[in-house]
Amino acid sequence: MVQILTVDDDPIIQMVLRRTLEEQGYEVISAQNGEEGLVLAQQFQPALILCDWQMNGIDGLEVCRQIKSNPALSSTFFILLTARTAIADRIVGLDAGADEFLPKPIEVNELKARVRAGLRLYRSNQELQKLAADLQLQTQRLEAEFAEAADYVRSRLPTTMSGKVAIESRFLPSQQLGGDCFDYFWLDPDYLAFYLLDVSGHGLKSALTSVSIQNLLQSQSLPETNFYQPQAVLTALNDTFQMGDHSDQYFTIWYGVYNAMTQQLTYASAGHPPAILIHEADVQLLKTAGVPIGFFDNVQYASDRFTIPANSTLYVFSDGIYELRQQADWKLEDFVNLIQTAHQQGSDRLGEILQQIQQLNNLEPFEDDCSLLQLRFANPDA
């Protein structure tokens, strides 16, 4: 049963309110003054309050203010009973938080109508609050699922590698979770394969697509594909992942194979940012022409080859590392300059490089996944 609280120090008006409202099927709680009204409101948390404006002690305006400032009661529909008709008085009442006014002397039919209207608004407000609470709960669950997905993607990424080639990596998922993925592994004792890819879009679909691609590359399951030849890998991926067959998703990728005996790097890219190779003061951008994987069918990708000088460092990354929300004019060239400066100053550790980038972004989360590989090629004769 709907509970209504009446607050009035006039016993005649209290009797009229109680009899009229109980006849309508409401449960009526009565308070003789403002102090008692506040106590009963806190105790019963009624759907609607009818309160006289002019009372000894705490008047109706102060009752209204305290009711509306209480989070547990703020949605209660509040009707001020008053003989005041001036617009200025109504403005004062509205500013105090009143939802409606009922003029004195009370006309019974108007009382019934205003109560019905107030309860309709109260129920609508309750439904909105429930929907908001449900939405908040769903948002929390979704955020938890994204966090679990990010942890799963992170768990599949390779750990630090040492030896002929020392590799470190960083993966910073965006708030929405994207489609970044990378890996590196020895095809045999002399040939190291490594890649970094970025699936279009955000969310679980992009993340799961990147994981499925990673599975194919890890298991070398692309049919009739020579994984020592980057152009063959990209061509096979394009044949397998046409965007028309995968919910219009496409991806960019940089794939390389390093021969530790000859120090030759063979690489190919498909719409991906160039890798940055730094040797002393020299900077090379390694990239081949090629559209992203999935754009068009029957694409033949080409590879290129570069001899890696001893004691060189190579960076492979996704575009999220230089597309910053807080630095709209910060581009790839700026990232290249940052990397080069870091090497000149001896501060080229991944943690320090990422710290500089995060500071440029005012320490805010990245809009897109941010992935970065750092490969250090030692002197084979050392």
Side-chain angles (χ1 to χ4, degrees), residues 132-359:
D134 291 343
L135 180 59
Q136 183 179 17
L137 179 61
Q138 293 299 324
T139 300
Q140 292 172 347
R141 288 176 178 172
L142 186 60
E143 289 174 349
E145 290 177 358
F146 276 132
E148 290 178 2
D151 289 341
Y152 173 69
V153 172
R154 191 180 289 108
S155 71
R156 295 181 55 85
L157 298 176
T159 57
T160 298
M161 177 183 289
S162 59
K164 303 173 187 178
V165 181
I167 306 179
E168 291 190 26
S169 61
R170 294 292 189 277
F171 169 64
L172 302 177
S174 64
Q175 286 183 316
Q176 301 182 56
L177 188 64
D180 278 17
C181 188
F182 56 83
D183 201 0
Y184 35 88
F185 47 88
W186 290 96
L187 295 170
D188 64 36
D190 295 324
Y191 285 85
L192 173 70
F194 57 98
Y195 66 86
L196 193 150
L197 63 90
D198 183 2
V199 179
S200 62
H202 295 91
L204 293 175
K205 183 171 66 173
S206 296
L208 293 176
T209 298
S210 71
V211 169
S212 66
I213 300 168
Q214 184 188 45
N215 287 335
L216 283 177
L217 295 175
Q218 279 184 340
S219 61
Q220 300 179 38
S221 299
L222 290 168
E224 301 178 359
T225 301
N226 186 341
F227 281 81
Y228 291 78
Q229 298 179 1
Q231 78 279 6
V233 173
L234 268 56
T235 299
L237 286 172
N238 190 70
D239 292 341
T240 305
F241 287 93
Q242 280 297 296
M243 60 186 296
D245 301 325
H246 290 83
S247 304
D248 291 332
Q249 284 187 313
Y250 61 90
F251 63 93
T252 68
I253 185 172
W254 196 102
Y255 183 97
V257 176
Y258 176 67
N259 184 337
M261 296 296 292
T262 64
Q263 296 179 259
Q264 284 193 332
L265 172 66
T266 306
Y267 61 93
S269 58
H272 202 82
I276 304 172
L277 179 68
I278 296 182
H279 175 66
E280 297 178 351
D282 185 43
V283 177
Q284 297 285 337
L285 301 184
L286 306 183
K287 180 180 181 180
T288 62
V291 297
I293 303 296
F295 265 15
F296 307 108
D297 56 6
N298 300 319
V299 176
Q300 294 296 317
Y301 291 89
S303 62
D304 205 346
R305 185 170 296 171
F306 192 89
T307 299
I308 304 294
N311 301 316
S312 297
T313 304
L314 181 71
Y315 293 92
V316 186
F317 48 91
S318 60
D319 57 10
I321 203 165
Y322 60 82
E323 293 181 350
L324 305 181
R325 181 184 325 191
Q326 299 300 327
Q327 298 288 336
D329 57 346
W330 210 69
K331 305 299 182 185
L332 172 62
E333 295 79 8
D334 300 295
F335 176 62
V336 174
N337 292 334
L338 183 150
I339 293 291
Q340 187 175 21
T341 301
H343 274 262
Q344 292 172 349
Q345 297 176 347
S347 58
D348 58 346
R349 288 179 289 274
L350 279 190
E352 295 180 15
I353 291 173
L354 284 176
Q355 185 178 26
Q356 292 185 57
I357 296 172
Q358 288 173 315
Q359 288 175 346

